[in-house]
Structures are given as C-alpha cells and as structure tokens.
Amino acid sequence: MTPKDRAEKAAAAMWAGDAASKWAGMEITRIDAGTATLEMTVEAHHCNGHGICHGGVTFMLADSAFAFACNSRNQSTVAQHNVISFVSPGRLGDRMTATAREVSLTGRSGIYDVTVTDQDGRTIAEFRGMSRAIKGQLFDE
C-alpha cells in the first residue's frame, strides 16, 4: 500500500464516524501522508453576533484538517494541545479551506501547522496542533 493509499483509507475510516465535521458542512478535498485539506462554506448558522464566522467554527475546520493529517498513517492519534491565531474574519458565503501539513513526527508526538484561507487566498487563521499517538489503528493492515 502506498502512503497516499494508506492516507485515503485512513481518512475514509475516520470520515465514516465523523458526524461533527459532516454536520458542520466540511468536506475532505485532499489527503496524503501527513497532509490534509478540508473545505466548507460559511453559512448563516456559522456566523456570530458580529455577522462573521464564529471563531469556534474556524477552529473546528482547522482541527478537523489537523486530525485527518495526523491520522493519515493509520495510527490512532489525538490532539494533545492546539493553538489558533485569528488573522481576519471569515464572512457569510466564504469558502474556507484548511490546509494541514506535518512539521515534525518523532515517536508518538507530532506537530502540524494548519492555514485557513478563503476563496481569494486571504488568510483567516493560523493553527498549530500537537498530536499524540495512542493504541490502535483506523483499519486493519
């Protein structure tokens, strides 16, 4: 199995049980070993009292991309610590893209950076996630 095949199979296994990402309207648009891209369109129910995309929704998109990237090697992995910096607001109708990439993977610990952009390439947020591998796999190999 190639690393990309493994990543796709791991993503399919995770996606099957990921009600939260589906509920928010996300879709996986790219997956490979150590990387993942998820997208969603900002709808009215994603907006806060300021009429902009709620920070928690932006965080959720980034966190989901992080999750698919750090589980792409078929090793069950969870978030240990995450931080996000909001750069500019997402707005109603924006197509937000979260692109996650692996920065470091040593033993059971990983570091991933996720950039969230809109349809014009404007940066919405920068997210850093630290992962920790746990027992188990997403599918039998």
Side-chain angles (χ1 to χ4, degrees):
M1 181 175 302
T2 69
K4 182 165 179 56
D5 291 340
R6 182 174 288 107
E8 289 173 350
K9 193 166 182 179
M14 273 185 59
W15 188 255
D18 188 349
S21 295
K22 291 178 205 169
W23 170 81
M26 296 178 203
E27 59 184 286
I28 301 168
T29 56
R30 184 176 175 277
I31 188 78
D32 207 333
T35 67
T37 302
L38 273 68
E39 297 183 22
M40 66 174 285
T41 300
V42 179
E43 299 181 24
H45 65 274
H46 296 131
C47 294
N48 63 21
H50 295 289
I52 59 176
C53 186
H54 192 288
V57 173
T58 303
F59 185 97
M60 185 180 185
L61 176 62
D63 186 50
S64 289
F66 160 66
F68 283 95
C70 68
N71 280 277
S72 64
R73 290 186 175 82
N74 194 30
Q75 171 64 53
S76 294
T77 304
V78 296
Q80 186 173 39
H81 174 78
N82 296 327
V83 63
I84 193 166
S85 295
F86 298 104
V87 178
S88 59
R91 303 199 181 278
L92 181 66
D94 280 352
R95 183 70 175 174
M96 295 199 308
T97 300
T99 304
R101 69 175 183 84
E102 189 174 84
V103 174
S104 172
L105 182 60
T106 306
R108 294 175 51 207
S109 298
I111 301 173
Y112 295 79
D113 283 343
V114 183
T115 300
V116 180
T117 58
D118 70 5
Q119 66 281 353
D120 298 321
R122 180 175 54 105
T123 300
I124 303 296
E126 294 287 351
F127 171 107
R128 175 158 275 193
M130 279 59 82
S131 68
R132 187 73 172 169
I134 58 174
K135 291 180 182 177
Q137 294 181 308
L138 299 163
F139 64 91
D140 291 332
E141 280 194 80

